């Protein structure tokens, strides 16, 4: 399989993106042209929950959200190694050793999850 | 079953430009129609579950209701809140929708068909890593929600966006890991090859005896199937995991400030994502576009030509029904319960399951010593997990003392606030206990 053929299937995705952009242009233009407009100050105010909002637009956010992001990175990296392994581990020339190696790798990452668990990062107090 | 009909990876990427255009427009139309139909279907089914008729005014049995709603929504006045970040506020729903549409391009809707004399697979394209494209689009789709929540310039959307970011990345991990077992069994990440791999039952040697396992992976890989479906519900923000838009807590969640076409796009993306995860579930676990077994025994031509499109759609609709069923049945989870379930149940089970599948597969081809070593290893692992399972500890309920709060906050009652027992309960208990002890004294 030569490079051009291989990238041919990706070229389609590019076409899809262009068509998507065209769709949005048409949709937003139609909305701009056809919708009625009656601007007022009240409409442009923040809705929030229907009552006049108190304070600014920033809320204090739990630091735990970021901890989950870190955990995600851990497992996303694991997936990067797991996916190619999953396809090839049963081929000729691979076998027991491949599975044991992956078991060790997964165990190391599971240790990370266990650490977070024991540190009570996963429980929301 | 005619296996010659199933396309291979080499069959893709040779289409004439107008065939590609037809396919792109066809997929677009399929998704939009599925979205409109699913909204109607959901309202109708939920209505029936709640003993009410559901939409029944517009069109026959209300079928055109969602079309009317969609058109009305798209032509409403577009309001841009003053505090919103203009560019990001506009781009967020676009990101969501583009990702939702792109993910569907690798779904195999059928085998080889002929469109105006051109033989072509009924699938826009296929890549050697096609399933990863769906995961990537799911991951990028989160940007749409987070940026939309952030750019709104309002508190509840910001919280909704943060929640959904944490939720979707957590369940994306579980989803990605549940798919690994399918890759391992099929030996490929291309969707058309995974469907082809499920066409016939496979001969497997388990504990020395040869058994024919059914072709569809949802039987052979049942834990993966269940984990995939649960995380798919979490990934699409559907009830009982609809925390990013929990109405009772966050008004509308990340799309509170959105209106008109932009809101419609978020809505469209949500429903397309539902269709996409159902379609991926069909492809990975339910045999894809192939007709279920009893039909193929009676009717040999069930998998030829355009018929697969029907089987595919029926399977997707059955899965969508489960989504609606869950929504009609289960109450919303609390956020901590939800995250605990994802990280402490789904992910660890998944990791052990992947190694188990790998071990069994390798053991089947290995000699006896290695096989017993593998089974012994699993036994040790099982015993280890049971022995080191963390004991349930009573967690002290946290209390937020009022003086810890920053200056200018609203007063919050303490978390460990206990309602004093009502004086009436004591009297009632006393009255209930009294007759047996002292029957002559009444109160």
């Amino acid at each position: 399989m030569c490079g051009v053929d291989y990238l041919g299937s990706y070229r389609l995705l590019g076409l899809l993106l262009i068509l998507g952009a065209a769709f949005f242009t048409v949709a937003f233009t139609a909305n701009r042209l056809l919708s009625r407009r009656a601007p007022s100050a009240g409409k442009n105010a923040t809705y929030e929950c229907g009552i006049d909002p108190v304070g600014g637009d920033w809320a204090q956010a739990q630091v735990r959200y970021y901890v989950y992001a870190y955990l995600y990175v851990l497992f996303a990296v694991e997936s990067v190694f797991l996916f190619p392994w999953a396809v090839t581990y049963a081929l000729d020339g691979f076998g027991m050793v491949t599975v044991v190696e992956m078991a060790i790798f997964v165990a190391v990452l599971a240790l990370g999850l266990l650490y977070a668990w024991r540190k009570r990062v996963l429980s929301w107090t | 079953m005619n296996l010659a009909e199933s396309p291979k990876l080499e069959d893709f990427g040779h289409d004439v430009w107008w065939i590609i255009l037809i396919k792109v427009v066809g997929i677009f139309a399929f998704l939009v129609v599925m979205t409109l139909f699913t909204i109607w279907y959901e309202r109708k089914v939920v209505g029936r579950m709640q003993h009410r008729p559901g939409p029944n005014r517009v069109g026959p049995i209300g079928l055109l209701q969602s079309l009317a709603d969609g058109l009305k929504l798209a032509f409403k006045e577009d309001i841009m809140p003053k505090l919103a970040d203009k560019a990001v506020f506009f781009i967020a729903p676009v990101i969501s929708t583009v990702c939702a549409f792109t993910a569907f391009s690798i779904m195999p809707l059928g085998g080889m068909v002929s469109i105006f004399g051109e033989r072509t697979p009924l699938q826009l394209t296929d890549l050697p890593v096609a399933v990863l494209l769906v995961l990537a689009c799911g991951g990028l789709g989160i940007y749409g929600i987070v940026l939309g929540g952030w750019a709104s310039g309002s508190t509840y959307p910001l919280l909704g966006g943060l929640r959904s970011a944490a939720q979707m990345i957590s369940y994306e991990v579980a989803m990605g890991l549940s798919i690994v077992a399918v890759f391992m069994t099929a030996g490929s990440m291309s969707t058309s090859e995974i469907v082809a791999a499920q066409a016939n039952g496979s001969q497997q040697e388990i504990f020395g005896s040869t058994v024919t396992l059914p072709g569809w992976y949802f039987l052979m890989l049942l834990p993966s199937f269940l984990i995939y479906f649960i995380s798919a519900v979490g990934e699409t923000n559907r009830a009982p995991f609809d925390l990013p838009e929990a109405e009772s807590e966050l008004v509308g969640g990340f799309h509170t400030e959105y209106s008109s076409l932009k809101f419609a796009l978020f809505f469209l993306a949500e429903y397309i994502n539902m269709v996409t995860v159902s379609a991926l579930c069909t492809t990975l676990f339910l045999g894809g576009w192939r007709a279920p077994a009893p039909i193929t025994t009676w009717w040999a031509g069930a998998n030829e030509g355009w018929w697969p499109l029907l089987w595919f759609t029926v399977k997707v609709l059955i899965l969508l029904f489960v989504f609606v069923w869950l929504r009609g049945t289960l109450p919303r989870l609390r956020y901590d319960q939800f995250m605990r379930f994802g990280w402490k149940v789904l992910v660890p089970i998944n990791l052990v399951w992947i190694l188990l599948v790998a071990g069994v597969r390798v053991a089947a081809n290995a000699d006896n010593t290695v096989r017993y070593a593998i089974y012994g290893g699993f036994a040790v692992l099982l015993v280890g997990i049971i022995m080191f399972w963390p004991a349930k500890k009573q967690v002290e309920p946290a209390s937020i003392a009022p003086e810890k709060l920053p200056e200018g906050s609203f007063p919050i009652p303490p978390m460990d606030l206990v309602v004093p027992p009502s004086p009436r309960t004591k009297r009632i208990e006393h009255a209930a206990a009294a007759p047996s002890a002292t029957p002559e004294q009444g109160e």
Side-chain angles (χ1 to χ4, degrees):
Chain A
M1 193 188 281
C2 71
V4 180
D5 269 359
Y6 183 77
L7 288 176
S9 45
Y10 288 90
R11 201 168 49 214
L12 269 178
L13 296 180
L15 183 79
L16 209 65
L17 282 180
I18 293 170
L19 281 176
F23 166 70
F24 287 114
T25 320
V26 170
F28 278 105
T29 316
N31 176 269
R32 182 55 61 98
L33 292 177
L34 294 176
S35 66
R36 289 185 55 197
R37 269 161 204 285
S40 73
K43 273 184 195 169
N44 290 335
T46 305
Y47 173 76
E48 205 172 87
C49 57
I51 308 168
D52 284 344
V54 178
D57 51 334
W58 292 102
Q60 282 188 357
Q62 278 259 23
V63 71
R64 295 196 201 287
Y65 290 115
Y66 302 101
V67 177
Y68 282 113
Y70 282 128
L71 274 176
Y72 172 70
V73 171
L74 177 77
F75 279 93
V77 170
E78 175 179 9
S79 304
V80 168
F81 290 106
L82 258 179
F83 286 142
W85 169 82
V87 176
T88 55
Y89 84 104
L91 298 180
D92 292 337
F94 301 94
M96 202 51 223
V97 181
T98 328
V99 174
V100 170
E101 278 171 357
M102 186 44 82
I104 293 168
F105 178 63
V106 167
V108 169
L109 285 167
L111 218 60
L113 183 63
L114 202 68
Y115 179 73
W117 194 330
R118 289 308 298 251
K119 279 281 177 189
R120 300 202 170 282
V121 165
L122 298 181
S123 55
W124 203 283
T125 49
Chain B
M1 217 177 284
N2 190 0
L3 270 179
E5 286 297 308
S6 79
K8 300 199 168 44
L9 261 180
E10 293 85 59
D11 293 331
F12 294 94
H14 306 305
D15 290 334
V16 202
W17 65 270
W18 51 268
I19 292 266
I20 295 173
L21 208 63
I22 289 176
K23 282 186 188 173
V24 169
V25 174
I27 284 175
F28 182 78
F30 179 79
L31 284 176
V32 171
V33 170
M34 278 299 267
T35 301
L36 294 179
F37 181 75
T38 308
I39 296 172
W40 171 84
Y41 178 63
E42 175 174 16
R43 293 179 63 185
K44 211 69 183 168
V45 171
V46 166
R48 194 49 64 91
M49 284 174 177
Q50 297 169 349
H51 298 286
R52 55 187 175 81
N56 60 359
R57 293 288 121 182
V58 190
I61 53 168
L63 262 173
L64 298 178
Q65 180 69 51
S66 35
L67 181 66
D69 287 346
L71 283 178
K72 192 189 92 171
L73 198 52
F75 294 122
K76 283 270 185 185
E77 181 181 352
D78 200 14
I79 297 169
M80 176 79 77
K82 218 171 176 182
L83 286 177
D85 186 307
K86 303 270 180 306
V88 181
F89 191 76
F90 171 79
I91 211 80
V94 177
I95 294 175
S96 272
T97 325
V98 167
C99 291
F101 273 114
T102 311
F104 210 80
S105 59
I106 49 89
M107 291 299 165
L109 306 174
M112 301 295 277
V113 292
S114 88
I115 302 175
F116 300 119
E118 295 270 341
R119 267 183 74 73
T120 174
L122 198 53
Q123 175 178 1
L124 179 59
T125 183
D126 199 2
L127 316 168
V129 291
V131 180
L132 298 192
L133 179 81
V134 180
L135 289 181
C137 286
L140 283 175
I142 302 174
Y143 275 108
I145 290 176
V146 177
L147 292 179
W150 176 82
S152 294
S154 177
T155 312
Y156 289 131
L158 179 68
L159 287 175
L162 274 176
R163 268 193 184 191
S164 72
Q167 162 172 352
M168 287 168 92
I169 59 178
S170 301
Y171 276 66
E172 184 140 320
V173 167
M175 191 185 219
L177 290 178
S178 69
I179 293 174
V180 169
V182 175
F183 295 157
M184 288 160 68
T185 323
S188 173
M189 291 191 231
S190 124
T191 44
S192 60
E193 284 181 1
I194 288 173
V195 172
Q198 293 178 71
N200 293 319
S202 60
Q203 303 277 325
Q204 277 282 2
E205 203 177 330
I206 295 174
F207 298 109
S209 58
T210 311
V211 260
T212 309
L213 291 175
W216 291 9
Y217 288 153
F218 87 98
L219 275 175
M220 207 168 23
L221 306 171
L222 188 65
S224 291
F225 174 65
L226 292 177
I227 292 171
Y228 175 84
F229 198 80
I230 293 170
S231 45
V233 177
E235 178 79 8
T236 47
N237 300 330
R238 293 286 307 178
F241 301 150
D242 56 345
L243 297 143
E245 39 195 301
E247 297 92 346
S248 47
E249 298 160 26
L250 294 176
V251 191
F254 61 88
H255 55 53
T256 305
E257 302 293 337
Y258 278 87
S259 57
S260 181
L261 185 62
K262 296 197 194 85
F263 175 76
L265 289 179
F266 269 133
F267 214 72
L268 187 69
E270 182 184 330
Y271 276 84
I272 291 177
N273 280 335
M274 263 169 77
V275 175
T276 305
V277 292
S278 303
L280 191 65
C281 189
T282 305
T283 304
L284 297 180
F285 295 104
L286 300 178
W289 45 266
R290 288 184 183 279
I295 295 177
T296 42
T297 356
W298 297 325
W299 176 26
N303 283 327
E304 282 164 24
W306 290 86
W307 285 108
L309 195 56
L310 177 70
W311 315 131
F312 181 82
T313 315
V314 168
K315 286 177 191 176
V316 169
L317 284 179
I318 290 172
L319 286 172
L320 286 173
F321 173 78
V322 180
F323 272 97
V324 179
W325 190 9
L326 289 175
R327 181 192 153 183
T329 315
L330 297 175
R332 182 181 300 131
L333 262 74
R334 226 169 52 206
Y335 199 76
D336 61 328
Q337 294 170 334
F338 172 76
M339 294 305 263
R340 188 172 64 208
F341 183 61
W343 285 104
K344 294 189 180 175
V345 179
L346 293 185
V347 171
I349 288 180
N350 233 327
L351 292 176
V352 174
W353 169 244
I354 289 170
L355 292 180
L356 191 73
V357 171
V360 169
R361 278 289 297 275
V362 170
N365 303 329
D367 53 5
N368 278 337
T369 341
V370 178
R371 190 175 307 165
Y372 293 132
I374 290 173
Y375 294 143
F378 280 125
V380 169
L381 189 68
L382 191 71
V383 170
I385 288 173
I386 292 169
M387 277 184 66
F388 291 101
W389 193 258
K392 198 159 183 137
K393 256 187 261 172
Q394 204 64 41
V395 182
E396 288 278 312
S399 69
I400 302 173
E403 63 266 20
K404 276 188 196 163
L405 289 169
E407 204 56 35
S409 306
F410 289 106
I412 300 173
M415 293 277 271
D416 50 359
L417 183 71
V418 180
V419 181
S422 151
R424 263 193 82 223
T425 34
K426 207 187 275 174
R427 228 188 309 151
I428 292 165
E429 272 170 15
H430 190 68
S436 58
T438 49
E440 66 274 5
Q441 284 181 331
E443 266 196 60

